[in-house]
Amino acid sequence: NYVNIENNIIKNNDSTSTSSNSRLVLIDNNMGEDLTFLQNIFFKGSYGIYLNGSSSSYDKNVVIKRNVFSRQNYYPLALYRIDKLILAENNISSIGNNNYYGVEIYSLKNASSVSGNKIIVNGNNANYGLYIYDFPSSSTDSLYIYNNFISIKGNQDGNGFYGESLYKTNFYYNNILNECTDSSYSSAAFYNYSSNIRVFNNNFIHNF
């Protein structure tokens, strides 16, 4: 199923809820292939975009490019089970007390990239700027994460970038600033149970 959402303003008046009922865009349980979100404005809501492919058949060929995500109270982007993702040149600003993630990507495979995004997370419960879990060694191509600016600020521990179970991953030319004041489990970038990662020419700054 081909879906193209382009040049829209998508909003609701809820800027305080974490409820799934306040998601601006929901595509659930493997709705399709070739999903494109281009040059839209997503304003308020609990989630901006929530994609949830099934474990047996991932959403394929997802492009999210040149969008603005503003004042989501929970997750501007939550992307689960994606086969081939381009996440590029988006402006993501998440400011509020329930902003746990700027971008969460859970279970990603095959040729994918996260590039040129500006991600700002600022709030009491800020945990992650960019979170990616699971890019398997069986993927046919690599994951590229480059030229992103990520800033996170809050009064508890947090990570600018967190990657876990990542393989065939290239991480370069990113600027990451972490100003979370609890340093017990905070970092500008953190990799857990990952291998075959190339990291070069990044700026990692942790002020607390």
Side-chain angles (χ1 to χ4, degrees):
N1 298 324
Y2 176 78
V3 176
N4 182 34
I5 298 176
E6 184 174 351
N7 292 325
N8 299 283
I9 298 174
I10 303 172
K11 65 179 183 178
N12 67 27
N13 292 321
D14 190 346
S15 62
T16 61
S17 176
T18 60
S19 170
S20 60
N21 295 326
S22 296
R23 292 177 287 205
L24 297 182
V25 173
L26 165 64
I27 298 179
D28 193 19
N29 203 18
N30 193 43
M31 287 293 293
E33 188 171 337
D34 299 318
L35 309 177
T36 299
F37 302 86
L38 180 64
Q39 296 181 174
N40 302 285
I41 296 173
F42 298 88
F43 186 64
K44 294 188 176 180
S46 56
Y47 295 78
I49 296 176
Y50 184 103
L51 301 183
N52 187 24
S54 73
S55 58
S56 60
S57 182
Y58 285 29
D59 287 331
K60 296 180 180 179
N61 303 324
V62 175
V63 177
I64 302 172
K65 189 172 184 178
R66 296 177 185 162
N67 301 281
V68 174
F69 297 85
S70 178
R71 295 182 63 184
Q72 281 74 48
N73 192 53
Y74 203 30
Y75 293 48
L77 281 163
L79 311 175
Y80 305 127
R81 289 170 287 276
I82 307 296
D83 182 350
K84 297 183 181 177
L85 169 69
I86 296 175
L87 179 65
E89 301 174 38
N90 299 285
N91 192 328
I92 301 163
S93 180
S94 186
I95 300 174
N97 290 334
N98 293 303
N99 303 118
Y100 295 98
Y101 297 76
V103 177
E104 181 188 25
I105 302 171
Y106 186 96
S107 201
L108 177 65
K109 65 181 181 180
N110 297 326
S112 296
S113 63
V114 178
S115 66
N117 301 286
K118 182 179 180 181
I119 303 171
I120 297 174
V121 181
N122 189 346
N124 290 339
N125 292 310
N127 284 134
Y128 304 99
L130 172 61
Y131 177 102
I132 303 178
Y133 175 84
D134 188 28
F135 187 83
S137 59
S138 60
S139 290
T140 58
D141 206 338
S142 298
L143 169 62
Y144 292 88
I145 304 167
Y146 62 96
N147 288 347
N148 299 285
F149 174 81
I150 302 170
S151 173
I152 184 170
K153 185 176 183 179
N155 61 6
Q156 65 177 31
D157 55 59
N159 296 277
F161 170 74
Y162 181 94
E164 183 171 345
S165 297
L166 303 183
Y167 301 86
K168 297 182 180 178
T169 298
N170 299 276
F171 192 91
Y172 53 90
Y173 300 121
N174 299 286
N175 291 283
I176 301 179
L177 172 63
N178 186 340
E179 295 183 288
C180 291
T181 56
D182 184 345
S183 62
S184 60
Y185 190 67
S186 294
S187 66
F190 185 84
Y191 311 91
N192 189 23
Y193 302 114
S194 302
S195 68
N196 197 13
I197 293 180
R198 300 179 68 220
V199 180
F200 59 92
N201 290 348
N202 302 280
N203 289 318
F204 300 116
I205 301 174
H206 187 192
N207 294 328
F208 57 89

